[in-house]
């Protein structure tokens, strides 16, 4: 079960991409929540249904409701819980895979009536993300309820999947998670590294490009990314900034205008998923800078896999997931200890030194395959599934 929609890019890259090869060995039923705007795209729905049918995946889409705020969520969860229980009983499902805390909660009735195995794929520290993002209040009744449900899901889990090595110790030792004892496997957000590949070195040289893929606001320090770009531009006159963003282009341009970046120094691209690899290849360095938050320990930004797969080094924050281990440890970028002017200059020095290394691109690609290979991710899920099903036999 996924609370994300399969008609969204995330559902395509982080759910269907894994389930398609797994469906060759397991009977897969997929329950997802589809947004109203996506459900109006009738041709896309039909195409996706054919794709899933061809893969042998039985799809049970649920309509996502946003309003009224609390009532709609409760309604969606109750309806999906009933659907899951019916599917589990009718098809004699032996294993339930919950993608996020809400999915785990919705699968509880199916687990209770059938004694099925649970894979709790946490996708991050869900409750902490909501508190740090200002969605729910700390120490409120809502938080206490979510903490209780979260600990219940961890206790019920037969196997836990997390995105980062940095989060494992917190899961084991931090009392907010109830000290879960189930086995934990790290499976980061993987990328299709058959598509995210380095550029042809015969292509003509272009201005130095500082790049960013994804949303701005909330968790990401876009203002700091702009300041980092300006540090590169001072060192390399003519450098440009490239932002791949589909839904916030006005906000992106406004932020750049406020920071004093002229329109001829940046490019904002609303790329389709198929076009993203081409634009990432144009970059000389990618950026992942995020706000300070406890939940960052469990984050694995997909953009990191995409940068590295294309042979592009990255500048990131050390407290975000495994960025420090990967970028600094494998010399495929660098992490900034803070966001001071001096640290920006150090980042520029470090990246320019790396760009002068002829082995950089190959090292980035090797790192991407080591950590973010879709094939490796599928293999880890396969091992979890077989292990739990053998135990249940």
């Amino acid at each position: 079960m996924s609370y994300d929609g399969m008609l969204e890019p995330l559902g395509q890259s982080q759910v269907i991409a894994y389930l398609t090869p797994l469906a060759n060995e397991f009977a897969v039923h997929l329950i997802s929540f589809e947004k109203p705007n996506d459900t109006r795209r009738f041709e896309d729905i039909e195409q996706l249904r054919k794709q899933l049918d061809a893969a042998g995946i039985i799809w049970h889409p649920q309509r996502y409701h946003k309003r009224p705020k609390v009532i709609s969520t409760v309604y969606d969860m109750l309806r999906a819980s009933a659907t899951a229980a019916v599917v589990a009983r009718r098809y004699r499902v032996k294993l339930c895979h919950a993608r996020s805390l809400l999915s785990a909660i919705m699968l509880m009735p199916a687990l209770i009536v059938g004694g099925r195995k649970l894979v709790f794929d946490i996708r991050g520290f869900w409750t902490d993300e909501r508190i740090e993002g200002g969605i729910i209040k700390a120490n409120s009744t809502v938080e206490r309820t979510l903490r209780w449900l979260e600990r219940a899901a961890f206790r019920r889990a037969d196997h836990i999947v997390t995105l980062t090595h940095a989060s494992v110790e917190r899961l084991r030792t931090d009392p907010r998670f109830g000290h879960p004892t189930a086995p934990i496997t790290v499976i980061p957000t993987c990328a299709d590294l058959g598509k995210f590949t380095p550029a042809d070195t015969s292509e003509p040289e272009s201005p130095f490009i500082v790049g960013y893929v994804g949303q701005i606001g909330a968790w990401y320090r876009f203002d700091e990314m702009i300041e980092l770009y300006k540090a590169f531009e001072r060192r390399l006159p003519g450098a440009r900034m490239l932002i791949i963003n589909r839904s916030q282009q006005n906000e992106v341009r406004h932020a750049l205008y406020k920071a004093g970046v002229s329109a001829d120094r940046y490019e904002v691209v609303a790329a389709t998923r198929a076009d993203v690899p081409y634009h990432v290849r144009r970059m000389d360095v990618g950026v992942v800078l995020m706000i300070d938050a406890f939940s960052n320990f469990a984050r694995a930004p997909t953009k990191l896999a995409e940068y590295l797969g294309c042979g592009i080094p990255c500048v990131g924050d050390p407290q975000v997931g495994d960025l420090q281990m990967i970028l600094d440890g494998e010399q495929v970028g660098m992490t900034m200890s803070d966001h001071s002017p001096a640290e920006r200059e150090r980042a520029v020095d470090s990246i320019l030194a790396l760009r002068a290394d002829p082995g950089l691109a190959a090292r980035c690609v090797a790192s991407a395959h080591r950590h973010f290979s879709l094939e490796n991710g599928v293999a880890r899920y396969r091992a979890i599934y077989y292990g739990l099903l053998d135990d249940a036999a």
Side-chain angles (χ1 to χ4, degrees):
M1 179 180 286
S2 170
Y3 203 55
D4 296 306
M6 297 304 103
L7 292 162
E8 299 175 282
L10 187 66
Q12 293 281 327
S13 65
Q14 296 302 316
V15 181
I16 294 174
Y18 293 88
L19 291 181
T20 297
L22 289 171
N24 292 326
E25 302 170 59
F26 305 95
V28 176
H29 291 262
L30 171 60
I31 300 174
S32 65
F33 287 81
E34 306 302 324
K35 307 295 190 298
N37 287 342
D38 293 327
T39 57
R40 298 187 189 101
R41 293 157 35 207
F42 301 111
E43 290 184 6
D44 291 346
I45 294 173
E46 185 61 25
Q47 182 179 352
L48 177 57
R49 193 174 289 280
K50 289 179 180 178
Q51 176 189 345
L52 294 175
D53 286 346
I57 298 170
I58 302 173
W59 187 29
H60 308 271
Q62 309 292 301
R63 187 179 177 88
Y64 172 84
H65 297 87
K66 192 173 182 178
R67 293 184 178 85
K69 192 171 184 180
V70 176
I71 295 173
S72 62
T73 300
V74 172
Y75 171 75
D76 283 351
M77 292 180 69
L78 290 173
R79 190 165 49 103
S81 292
T83 299
V86 170
V87 169
R89 184 179 180 85
R90 178 180 298 171
Y91 295 97
R92 299 181 180 179
V93 171
K94 297 179 180 179
L95 186 151
C96 294
H97 185 160
R99 193 176 183 277
S100 82
L101 172 61
L102 287 185
S103 295
I105 295 169
M106 288 182 277
L107 284 172
M108 284 300 170
L111 293 164
I112 291 169
V113 300
R116 297 167 179 87
K117 299 288 187 176
L118 172 65
V119 178
F120 185 16
D121 200 339
I122 68 171
R123 313 312 297 174
F125 296 159
W126 196 89
T127 304
D128 294 282
E129 289 177 4
R130 268 65 196 167
I131 294 170
E132 293 160 355
I135 299 172
I136 63 175
K137 292 182 179 180
N139 303 314
S140 65
T141 301
V142 174
E143 186 206 350
R144 288 192 290 272
T145 301
L146 288 173
R147 293 289 187 199
W148 183 85
L149 290 168
E150 192 171 49
R151 288 192 290 271
F154 277 120
R155 285 195 300 271
R156 179 59 182 81
D158 296 283
H159 204 110
I160 298 164
V161 176
T162 184
L163 298 174
T164 70
H165 294 277
S167 64
V168 175
E169 182 181 357
R170 277 81 187 176
L171 288 171
R172 291 296 193 203
T173 62
D174 196 302
R176 75 188 76 187
F177 303 117
H179 305 290
T181 58
I184 299 176
T185 297
V186 176
I187 307 178
T189 47
C190 299
D192 186 345
L193 299 177
K195 296 177 180 176
F196 287 91
T197 56
D200 184 345
T201 55
S202 66
E203 292 180 1
E205 293 185 4
S206 60
F208 190 92
I209 293 180
V210 179
Y212 175 71
V213 179
Q215 300 290 96
I216 66 169
W219 300 105
Y220 290 97
R221 294 179 181 265
F222 190 58
D223 55 341
E224 296 293 346
M225 298 184 212
I226 296 173
E227 293 304 315
L228 180 61
Y229 156 72
K230 289 163 72 174
F232 274 103
E233 202 274 337
R234 286 192 295 271
R235 193 78 62 86
L236 301 169
R240 294 169 59 86
M241 193 171 189
L242 171 63
I243 304 98
I244 303 173
N245 179 292
R246 297 188 67 179
S247 61
Q248 299 170 301
Q249 295 202 4
N250 288 337
E251 293 96 318
V252 169
R253 292 189 173 91
H254 181 65
L256 288 161
Y257 172 78
K258 281 180 59 180
V261 180
S262 60
D264 63 344
R265 293 298 186 189
Y266 68 83
E267 182 180 355
V268 186
V269 178
T272 64
R273 190 68 195 161
D275 291 334
V276 172
Y278 162 75
H279 289 291
V280 173
R281 292 186 196 107
R282 299 171 54 200
M283 301 174 184
D284 291 281
V285 60
V287 188
V288 182
L289 299 180
M290 303 186 71
I291 65 170
D292 296 330
F294 174 79
S295 60
N296 283 347
F297 286 114
R299 293 185 185 277
T302 308
K303 53 182 68 65
L304 175 62
E306 296 169 350
Y307 296 150
L308 295 179
C310 291
I312 307 302
C314 178
V315 176
D317 289 307
Q319 80 278 8
V320 176
D322 297 329
L323 260 65
Q324 187 170 40
M325 177 187 77
I326 296 170
L327 298 182
D328 297 335
E330 300 180 11
Q331 296 184 306
V332 291
M334 63 89 65
T335 56
M336 299 174 63
S337 60
D338 57 48
H339 298 285
S340 65
E343 189 67 357
R344 289 188 206 110
E345 293 301 323
R346 188 177 77 86
V348 173
D349 289 337
S350 178
I351 294 301
L352 293 183
L354 283 174
R355 293 293 303 180
D357 180 353
L360 172 64
R363 201 160 59 242
C364 289
V365 172
S367 180
H369 281 269
R370 186 178 304 115
H371 298 286
F372 305 113
S373 162
L374 182 61
E375 291 76 16
N376 287 344
V378 170
R380 290 172 193 169
Y381 278 123
R382 183 184 294 114
I384 293 169
Y385 285 10
Y386 274 119
L388 292 177
L389 292 173
D390 287 344
D391 289 344

